[in-house]
Amino acid sequence: MQLIGLLVLVLVALLLMAVVAVLMKPAASSQSLYRLNGPLFSPAERSFLGVLMQAVPDEAIVMGKVRVADVLTPVKGLERSKWQTAFNKISAKHFDYVVCDRSTLKVLSVVELNDKSHKAKKRIERDAFLREACSSAGLRLLEFEAKASYSVAEVRNQLAAEVGKL
């Protein structure tokens, strides 16, 4: 009789553990925490990308939406807290376009397309910071004003004037 009671108790405990396991099971994968964003570029950015890709020489390639921290890094020798502060300033920012050597992918220059949002105070501060960061690293930052259409020749000339032969 005691054995039957013990078996019933074990079965009840196992049943409770199974119920708790089902209730504690993570949400189904259909309830993901992420969704796909829209296009990588706005229509204006995509339009300019097409012109920029035609304007760079064959030895270069254009990458888009590259994180600043993948191009620049704080200098060595900083105290850990200063290094982290400097890194935090660049980790969530991106360059609109990065022009690289086609064979080595060495960064040759970075390009920003400035639309009307760049007139806002925060964007003015961000742009000034990026100019200074690029300058301190010896990296050319080219800026183009957003407009309805672009001339490949004009963009090529500005690239050549600013960067020289890529």
Side-chain angles (χ1 to χ4, degrees), residues 109-128:
S109 64
V110 293
V111 178
E112 286 289 303
L113 183 63
N114 295 336
D115 60 14
K116 60 185 170 195
S117 72
H118 286 254
K119 292 180 179 16
K121 184 178 185 225
K122 288 232 179 230
R123 289 302 291 245
I124 291 170
E125 292 170 0
R126 174 205 174 271
D127 292 345

Side-chain angles (χ1 to χ4, degrees), residues 27-44:
S29 62
S30 66
Q31 296 177 350
S32 177
L33 299 176
Y34 301 97
R35 66 174 176 77
L36 183 62
N37 279 333
L40 191 57
F41 293 102
S42 70

Side-chain angles (χ1 to χ4, degrees), residues 65-73 86-98 109-114 118 121-143:
K65 303 280 187 176
V66 177
R67 195 172 63 126
V68 174
D70 292 330
V71 175
L72 303 177
T73 192
F87 180 80
N88 289 346
K89 287 182 178 181
I90 61 173
S91 67
K93 292 176 177 59
H94 73 270
F95 292 117
D96 292 333
Y97 313 98
V98 176
S109 64
V110 293
V111 178
E112 286 289 303
L113 183 63
N114 295 336
H118 286 254
K121 184 178 185 225
K122 288 232 179 230
R123 289 302 291 245
I124 291 170
E125 292 170 0
R126 174 205 174 271
D127 292 345
F129 168 77
L130 280 183
R131 283 185 206 104
E132 176 58 34
C134 289
S135 176
S136 72
L139 178 64
R140 284 286 195 178
L141 169 63
L142 307 175
E143 297 180 78

Side-chain angles (χ1 to χ4, degrees), residues 3 9-10 13 23-24 47-48 53 57 70 88 92-93 96-97 113 125 129 138 150:
L3 186 56
L9 185 59
V10 168
L23 292 175
M24 301 284 289
S47 173
F48 184 76
M53 288 170 55
D70 292 330
N88 289 346
K93 292 176 177 59
D96 292 333
Y97 313 98
L113 183 63
E125 292 170 0
F129 168 77
Y150 306 92

